[in-house]
């Protein structure tokens, strides 16, 4: 995936720091807005893994630090559940104004409760996924229950959450109590819902997932994240969550249909009206070619010359593999390194061309296996008999026709 640093302002004018992650090989078909857990941040490893899985399936993901957390401005002590919801709304507006309105919301822990509450203010959303979310936002108060009397009495207290100090004010307690997620809010989501929860979650008990699921209308799904902890510390758990959400969400969002390439020729390519991104079908295989961003491309695939390098390298390896198998030699692997350059003809001692520039391919071959010097020497000679190598050396004609 490709990651870009972006930012937007919250309702109070504080700048919130965010990362926009895009698919590496295509334009995103839909945008996902991610809400992290209480006192966590956008850079939690599990969030990055989930984003990586989503971008592999063509989604873009915006993850950001809530006010007063991570790299975002503002004071955490002045925030509450309502301000988290407002931050989500502002994030959705940022996407709509600059890219595309989000169609999927994903929330982890208290972020899950926040996306359920924010949905009514983000009409573009068609699917919501919660991960280890509490049914009532007030559930979060158990993290600092030993300090609640002090908060009630003095108006604030410094508490330790996850080994880090945070100042919690009474207004936070009042807010999560008054704005607790309720049955009617979830019942009228007007969006597909997936509830993901670990039966072993020791932070937010499984009963919360049951309550959320029962309150929702169809379409609704429940996924048991067996063996995972609340923060999805194991990489395989968070990657799995991302894969599941991506596959499920595609059923509920609109994905533009792409014109299917057809041709009776061996290979057909199509370059669209925007940029240089080119779809390729050759035989039963689909590829993408592009140019780097520095020359106006999207960098969604290798350049045409990259593909030519690859063709020469692949053909060389296959030719040596075929010859060694026939001779029953212990060739265990072939690595072919290709560099393509244009050099001045007068600098090329063995070139027939005397003026201008010539194309030069520098091919470096690594032979793996128990081979003696004679076998290695013979394989280097065979490399020059690779069909693509010979094609590049032979006279070549390219005949061009205009198809009506």
């Amino acid at each position: 995936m490709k990651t870009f640093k972006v930012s937007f302002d919250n309702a109070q004018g504080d700048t919130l720091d965010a990362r926009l992650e895009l698919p590496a090989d295509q334009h995103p078909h839909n945008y996902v807005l991610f809400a992290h857990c209480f006192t966590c941040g956008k850079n939690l490893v599990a969030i990055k893994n989930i984003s990586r899985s989503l971008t592999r399936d063509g989604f873009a993901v915006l993850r950001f630090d809530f006010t007063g957390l991570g790299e975002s401005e503002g004071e955490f002590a002045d925030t509450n559940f309502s301000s988290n919801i407002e931050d989500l709304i502002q994030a959705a507006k940022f996407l709509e104004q600059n890219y595309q309105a989000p169609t999927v919301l994903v929330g982890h822990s208290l972020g899950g409760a926040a996306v359920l509450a924010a949905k009514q203010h983000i009409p573009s959303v068609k699917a919501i996924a919660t991960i280890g979310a509490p049914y009532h936002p007030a559930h979060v108060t158990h993290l600092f229950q030993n300090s609640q009397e002090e908060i009630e009495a003095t108006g604030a207290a410094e508490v330790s959450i996850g080994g880090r100090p945070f100042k919690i004010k009474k207004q936070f307690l009042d807010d999560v109590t008054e704005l607790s997620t309720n049955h009617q809010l979830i019942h009228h989501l007007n969006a597909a819902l997936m509830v993901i929860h670990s039966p072993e979650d020791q932070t937010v008990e499984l009963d919360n997932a049951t309550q959320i699921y029962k309150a929702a209308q169809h379409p609704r799904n429940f996924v048991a994240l067996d063996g995972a902890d609340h923060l999805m510390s194991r990489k395989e758990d968070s990657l799995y969550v991302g894969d599941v959400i991506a596959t499920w969400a595609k059923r509920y969002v609109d994905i533009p249909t792409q014109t299917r390439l057809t041709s009776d020729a061996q290979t057909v390519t199509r370059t669209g009206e925007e940029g240089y991104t080119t779809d390729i079908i050759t035989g039963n295989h689909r590829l993408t070619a592009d140019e780097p961003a520095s020359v106006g491309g999207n960098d969604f695939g290798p350049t045409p010359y990259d593909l030519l390098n690859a063709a020469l390298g692949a053909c060389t390896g296959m030719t040596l593999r075929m010859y060694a198998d026939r001779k029953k030699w212990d060739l265990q692997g072939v690595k072919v390194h290709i560099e393509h350059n244009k050099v001045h003809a007068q600098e090329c001692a063995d070139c027939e061309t005397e003026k201008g520039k010539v194309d030069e391919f520098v091919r470096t071959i690594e032979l793996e296996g128990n081979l003696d010097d004679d076998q290695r020497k013979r394989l280097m000679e065979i490399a020059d008999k690779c069909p693509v190598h010979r094609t590049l050396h032979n006279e070549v004609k390219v005949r061009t026709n205009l198809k009506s």
Side-chain angles (χ1 to χ4, degrees), residues 105-121:
L105 296 178
V106 179
H108 176 215
S109 194
L110 188 64
V115 297
L116 291 173
K119 162 60 180 75
Q120 60 184 316
H121 305 288

Side-chain angles (χ1 to χ4, degrees), residues 36 56 201 206 265 374:
H36 61 71
R56 280 202 302 261
D201 194 328
L206 182 63
D374 289 339

Side-chain angles (χ1 to χ4, degrees), residues 45-350:
V45 173
I47 296 178
K48 292 182 178 180
N49 290 336
I50 293 171
S51 297
R52 184 176 298 115
S53 294
L54 286 163
T55 58
R56 280 202 302 261
D57 251 310
F59 290 91
V61 181
L62 181 72
R63 51 184 174 88
F64 70 97
D65 290 325
F66 283 116
T67 301
L69 290 172
E71 299 171 278
S72 288
E73 295 179 350
E75 291 295 329
F76 174 79
D78 295 328
T79 68
N80 49 43
F81 187 67
S82 294
S83 69
N84 286 351
I85 295 172
E86 184 59 39
D87 285 351
L88 280 169
I89 296 171
Q90 294 301 117
K93 290 179 180 179
F94 167 77
L95 282 177
E96 183 175 14
Q97 292 169 3
N98 295 277
Y99 300 94
Q100 180 180 313
T103 55
V104 181
L105 296 178
V106 179
H108 176 215
S109 194
L110 188 64
V115 297
L116 291 173
K119 162 60 180 75
Q120 60 184 316
H121 305 288
I122 312 175
S124 59
V125 171
K126 298 181 179 180
I128 301 174
T130 64
I131 310 163
Y135 178 64
H136 289 295
H139 181 279
V140 75
T141 60
H142 83 280
L143 294 173
F144 44 86
Q145 58 185 2
N146 294 334
S147 301
Q148 286 195 43
E149 288 187 10
E150 180 183 353
I151 296 172
E152 293 283 356
T154 66
E158 187 171 280
V159 303
S160 177
I161 302 174
R164 294 180 297 160
F166 292 93
K167 186 177 182 180
I168 302 295
K169 293 184 176 180
K170 184 176 182 298
Q171 60 88 19
F172 180 92
L173 298 180
D174 295 339
D175 185 74
V176 293
T177 301
E178 294 173 3
L179 295 177
S180 290
T181 302
N182 57 52
H183 179 91
Q184 289 301 315
L185 187 153
I186 299 175
H187 188 70
H188 296 291
L189 273 182
N190 193 29
L193 176 65
M194 172 174 279
V195 180
I196 303 173
H197 213 108
S198 169
E200 290 79 28
D201 194 328
Q202 299 299 309
T203 303
V204 180
E205 300 80 3
L206 182 63
D207 183 60
N208 288 270
T210 302
Q211 291 179 284
I212 294 172
Y213 182 83
K214 287 183 176 180
Q217 299 187 70
H218 286 298
R220 57 182 178 173
N221 295 84
F222 173 75
V223 174
L225 193 57
D226 299 320
D229 59 28
H230 184 67
L231 293 179
M232 296 171 286
S233 301
R234 295 187 309 180
K235 182 177 181 180
E236 56 265 35
D237 291 330
S238 50
L239 290 175
Y240 171 75
V241 167
D243 289 339
V244 169
I245 293 175
T247 301
W248 165 80
K250 286 192 292 186
R251 188 176 184 88
Y252 302 103
V253 298
D254 296 326
I255 299 178
T257 56
Q258 296 182 339
T259 303
R260 183 172 179 81
L261 291 176
T262 59
S263 176
D264 295 329
Q266 296 172 347
T267 299
V268 58
T269 72
R270 183 180 186 279
T271 305
E273 61 183 16
E274 177 188 352
Y276 303 116
T277 305
T278 300
D279 297 320
I280 304 170
I281 291 183
T282 180
N284 296 320
H285 309 286
R286 302 181 68 90
L287 305 170
T288 301
D290 209 336
E291 291 288 350
S294 59
V295 296
N298 292 303
D299 198 24
F300 287 161
T303 70
Y305 273 112
D306 290 338
L307 293 172
L308 185 57
N309 287 349
L312 177 59
C315 181
T316 301
M318 292 176 184
T319 300
L320 298 186
R321 173 83 277 159
M322 190 180 302
Y323 186 84
D325 286 350
R326 191 163 62 245
K327 291 291 187 179
K328 295 184 170 31
W329 291 353
D330 185 29
L331 178 63
Q332 296 174 11
V334 181
K335 290 183 181 177
V336 184
H337 307 265
I338 305 288
E339 290 288 339
H340 169 258
N341 302 291
K342 288 186 177 290
V343 299
H344 291 284
Q346 58 265 33
E347 297 175 1
C348 181
D350 58 347

